[in-house]
Amino acid sequence: MITGASGNVGTALLRRLQRVPGEHHLAGIARRPPRDGQPYQDVEWTALDLAAPAAAAALGPVFRGADAVVHLAWGFQPSHDTDYLDRSGVGGTRAVLDAARAEGVPHLVHMSSVGAYSPGPPDGHPVDEQWPTGGVDSLAYSREKVAAERLLDEHERRHPDGPALARLRPGLIVQRESGSALLRYGVPPFVPASLLRHVPLLPVDRSLVVPLVHTADVADAVERVLTRRATGPFNLAADPPVTRDDIAAVLGARPVHVPRQVLRGAVWASWHARLQPLDPGWLDLAFAAPLVDSTRARRELDWAPSVDALSALAEVIGGMADTAATSSPALRKRSVAAELAALVRRGPAAHRRHT
């Protein structure tokens, strides 16, 4: 059973697990399953929003008889509607845990994040899985990943007999096919994607450095966790860590140092004005999240990234410039007209609801 099976990691995991026809019986759970199951017609699909109040009860019959559940479902937008994002991320994780426990599912793999970690050490040294998971308070995504980790902690204390839990903590997960989705998450809808091929300057604080990993390599790690019935936390990141200058080089832009607080002010103002979808908390996370040491995954899962971080960065920026997409609704092709219409529809109502 795979929640969020229509998303970035979910579709990559389906491709990986379907390499040998008939090897696995796969069931996908998504708020918006692919139409007619295409191109994943051998997957048994269930349409379900995990933010719904009765999600745990609805999941019970779906989970019945499952050998494992991979929990990938997570909400990123609308970034102003944090009530919905809380219900989706925290409430959805609680529903998955409750249903898996009630149905006796033996193994559950939860997709956590580097965003669950407390700010990294001042020297920038990569951290292992023992680093505190206190998150970054200014970002709903980080707070929700921390809350989900606490739910897993509570489950392990109160229910040692199962399901056995594994939690993956990857860096930024990217692939070419996520290009359109990333545009919707972080680029104003009135900005043409093709402008990414003509960026003269990159005004970002020179201290930026982030962990990154290719989506296919995350799917590989999930499969290894499943086949080994592995438990516990696993960091996932490719080398080398991505710096501001690396991003500028891929864009063909000249890097310009702009202090992160100045940049944050501009992002904050434009986000509150509903001019762009990027919550300024994402900038806080980008500068605070630690680099991660993936030694445990390499040692216990025999996992190693097949795509280095700089190649993955070039791939996803190319995908964004080309509005790369798939037939899955979560990875649909970006439409400037559709995004602008959605912004107009939800802007005033969202503003009244959250101010």
Side-chain angles (χ1 to χ4, degrees), residues 43-309:
V43 177
E44 183 179 332
W45 287 97
T46 298
L48 178 63
D49 186 347
L50 294 185
L59 285 172
V62 180
F63 282 1
R64 195 159 297 151
D67 296 304
V69 170
V70 180
H71 177 40
L72 305 175
W74 208 266
F76 297 92
Q77 293 289 348
S79 58
H80 289 274
D81 191 351
T82 55
D83 291 341
Y84 172 78
L85 297 179
D86 287 347
R87 294 196 307 274
S88 176
V90 185
T93 299
R94 182 182 291 110
V96 167
L97 277 169
D98 289 347
R101 184 170 61 247
E103 296 301 329
V105 178
H107 193 205
L108 192 150
V109 182
H110 171 73
M111 187 59 67
S112 187
S113 168
V114 68
Y117 280 128
S118 301
D123 63 3
H125 190 76
V127 305
D128 66 13
E129 289 83 359
Q130 301 308 308
W131 191 255
T133 51
V136 174
D137 288 341
S138 59
L139 179 63
Y141 170 86
S142 183
R143 296 194 303 268
E144 291 151 4
K145 287 295 185 182
V146 170
E149 291 261 0
R150 298 292 84 80
L151 290 175
L152 302 184
D153 294 342
E154 179 184 12
H155 167 87
E156 289 181 323
R157 286 194 302 270
R158 297 180 58 185
H159 306 282
D161 295 334
L165 298 180
R167 44 187 112 181
L168 305 185
R169 296 173 184 154
L172 179 62
I173 308 172
V174 299
Q175 62 175 332
R176 175 176 170 79
E177 290 79 5
S178 63
S180 279
L182 289 174
L183 288 169
R184 286 193 296 275
Y185 295 156
V187 177
F190 49 81
V191 175
S194 59
L195 286 184
L196 287 172
R197 299 197 183 278
H198 307 282
V199 179
L201 302 174
L202 182 65
V204 176
D205 193 300
R206 64 171 65 94
S207 66
L208 180 68
V209 56
V210 294
L212 186 145
V213 62
H214 196 280
T215 307
D217 288 324
V218 176
D220 175 33
V222 173
E223 182 183 37
R224 290 169 186 269
V225 168
L226 290 170
T227 56
R228 289 164 170 78
R229 294 287 181 181
T231 59
F234 294 93
N235 290 339
L236 302 173
D239 291 327
V242 171
T243 67
R244 177 205 64 171
D245 290 355
D246 293 327
I247 299 171
V250 171
L251 290 170
R254 183 167 69 89
V256 177
H257 174 65
V258 174
R260 61 185 182 183
Q261 289 305 324
V262 174
L263 184 61
R264 190 188 196 281
V267 173
W268 182 91
S270 57
W271 181 68
H272 276 272
R274 303 317 197 261
L275 296 177
Q276 57 85 20
L278 187 70
D279 185 324
W282 284 104
L283 283 182
D284 299 335
L285 178 63
F287 286 102
L291 301 179
V292 293
D293 182 342
S294 305
T295 298
R296 183 171 189 248
R298 294 172 184 270
R299 182 181 65 244
E300 298 189 18
L301 303 177
D302 296 320
W303 177 82
S306 63
V307 182
D308 68 84

